[in-house]
Amino acid sequence: MTKYIYKYAFALLLGLGVAVSSCDLNVDPRQSIDADQALNTPDGVEAAVNSVYARLRQSTNYGRNLLGLSDALADVGRTTSNSGRLIQENNNQPNAHFNSIPGSGLSFWQNSYFAINEANLILDAIASGVEGASAGQLARWEGELKFLRALYYFDLVKVYTYIPTAIYQPGLVDEGGIPMPLEGSITSDIAFVRNSPRSTIDENYNQIVQDINESIAALSTSSRAGTQFASVGAAQGLLARVQLYRGNWAAARDAAAAALESEVGTVLGGMDYVAGWRAQNHPEAMFEVRFQIAGEAIGVNESLQSTYTVLLNLDNKNAQGGWGDFIPNQRVLDFFGLAPLQIGEPASDNNNWDVTRNDDVRAHLYTTGSTVRGARNIECVKFISKAGFAYGDNVPVIRKSEMHLIRAEANYQLGNTGEALTELNAFKSLRGLEAVSVSGEDILEEILLERFKEFAFEGHRFFDLKRYGRDLDKRYLGANNFVPFDDFRILPLIPQREVDGNTNLNQNRGY
């Protein structure tokens, strides 16, 4: 296939991208390039690779849904009805599960496959060389693109399919994994996948692991500075998470250990950990999605900041900010000893309110909001104008602390309960908690509880429940809010237009 065809195909992709997302609040990649330069020059390839990174910023992906919507599906919080967003997801209504953004038609599925097709086209092009590119550049592009393709595919497979450690057997034959095209599509059809059928879940994970390992090999020879780019450490962290989900415990343990030994990211303890959440670039981040300018910000409707808090900033609680659509439930409040606390007069001034807290340093990531939307609620403030402008917080996708909890869980599953408990208690100490003395299955429950506390409002809880085959018990929202693991609502609807346009793509059961 000639470079001219790749150039033409990528030019089509850029044009289609504008059409698809023109109604969305997110801007298309500012690294967009002229068709005459697409994939023909090092500058063109560099811009194209940056475009694949940029799609992670969409609210369908890490801009909001992989964190906020995931936790709304789980048992982390409750909705406030301030804007009406995430209510159906929080109540686990059918079809309210990674569906399209109203008014845009863009979905998590479509944005992710669009990015994957971009990655595939670039990989196809650089395989035959790019005039003027060095061997180091070629290796780095391959490493970054295979890391990104693995991340996009892993996020798709964990959402749309069962997780290998807990598969609902009666649905396995009917559903399986997700389509996994590994070559770029050169047509103007946005389906991308040439009527590809669903691969098996095992095939999906095999390819994801292969991509990550090849990424590590390529990036070990050349990589860019900055945690907004793929690196060997970031790839090792992603590999640890993927192997944990797969139940490949020894591989998960070893990858977590390698990630902890890498120079990327720093494990923080005490109030340094809290300060890390106020920094523009989280010191614990091994890989983060970065919003560099205000023009890339998601906006007041669907950003993480606006989803979690009504505050504009922490300096003045009376300043009108977001919607505060999703707030902690009572269980999360109890984790950290959180209750409203008046600290001054008059009571009508929102700056005169804070919260009570226990010794867990993570309690400092919560405070009272304001009465701008009516009620003054306790809210999570992990994301609140950290980048220096509203609604565009950098999002840590992989944090180094996660590696400790992955290694502890993997060691427990391998029967190394002493090592698991030692690591768990060392982690608890970082968060200001006393050691626990437990044994047997209680060790696993303590690890999962610590993951719940650590990653509240970061989108892990739904998948932790899913990978252990556990029911969603949300009866605190109402008598009918109980979703057993064998319920079809554990998996989302594949966008119907994708199923209609691909005769080989079967829909998830129940839809």
Side-chain angles (χ1 to χ4, degrees), residues 317-334:
K317 289 185 176 182
N318 294 313
Q320 183 170 345
W323 289 100
D325 288 318
F326 186 63
I327 62 175
N329 61 23
Q330 190 59 50
R331 187 180 182 192
V332 174
L333 297 179
D334 292 343

Side-chain angles (χ1 to χ4, degrees), residues 35-103:
D36 290 334
Q37 294 181 325
L39 308 186
N40 277 0
T41 66
D43 286 345
V45 173
E46 200 78 76
V49 172
N50 288 341
S51 175
V52 184
Y53 280 106
R55 289 202 168 272
L56 293 170
R57 292 198 303 261
Q58 290 277 3
S59 58
T60 56
N61 293 59
Y62 286 97
R64 185 194 69 170
N65 285 4
L66 281 168
L67 284 77
L69 190 150
S70 293
D71 273 1
L73 290 169
D75 56 354
V76 174
R78 62 181 180 86
T79 51
T80 61
S81 302
N82 286 347
S83 77
R85 294 180 182 87
L86 299 184
I87 293 175
Q88 291 184 328
E89 289 87 352
N90 199 211
N91 285 291
N92 299 98
Q93 294 295 314
N95 300 318
H97 191 325
F98 281 88
N99 53 3
S100 298
I101 299 172

Side-chain angles (χ1 to χ4, degrees), residues 71 94 112 153 166 248 281 334-335 376 383 422 437 444 464 487 501:
D71 273 1
S112 299
Y153 270 134
N248 193 340
N281 304 320
D334 292 343
F335 284 160
R376 183 188 292 110
F383 301 93
T422 297
S437 180
L444 176 62
D464 282 351
D487 193 289

Side-chain angles (χ1 to χ4, degrees), residues 409-485:
E409 184 178 341
N411 268 321
Y412 167 81
Q413 295 290 359
L414 289 167
N416 304 323
T417 55
E419 293 177 40
L421 185 59
T422 297
E423 184 133 34
L424 171 64
N425 281 328
F427 182 82
K428 282 179 173 287
S429 178
L430 291 172
R431 299 297 179 257
L433 301 177
E434 294 183 358
V436 294
S437 180
V438 293
S439 60
E441 293 183 0
D442 289 341
I443 297 175
L444 176 62
E445 295 308 312
E446 281 290 329
I447 293 170
L448 295 178
L449 179 62
E450 211 54 48
R451 285 181 62 89
F452 191 171
K453 296 175 184 178
E454 180 72 11
F455 300 117
F457 298 90
E458 294 181 65
H460 290 246
R461 177 63 175 173
F462 178 76
F463 301 106
D464 282 351
L465 292 170
K466 186 176 176 182
R467 62 192 179 88
Y468 275 98
R470 300 192 177 186
D471 304 330
L472 292 175
D473 190 351
K474 301 164 68 173
R475 282 172 286 196
Y476 61 86
L477 294 174
N480 296 323
N481 289 85
F482 183 85
V483 184
F485 178 69

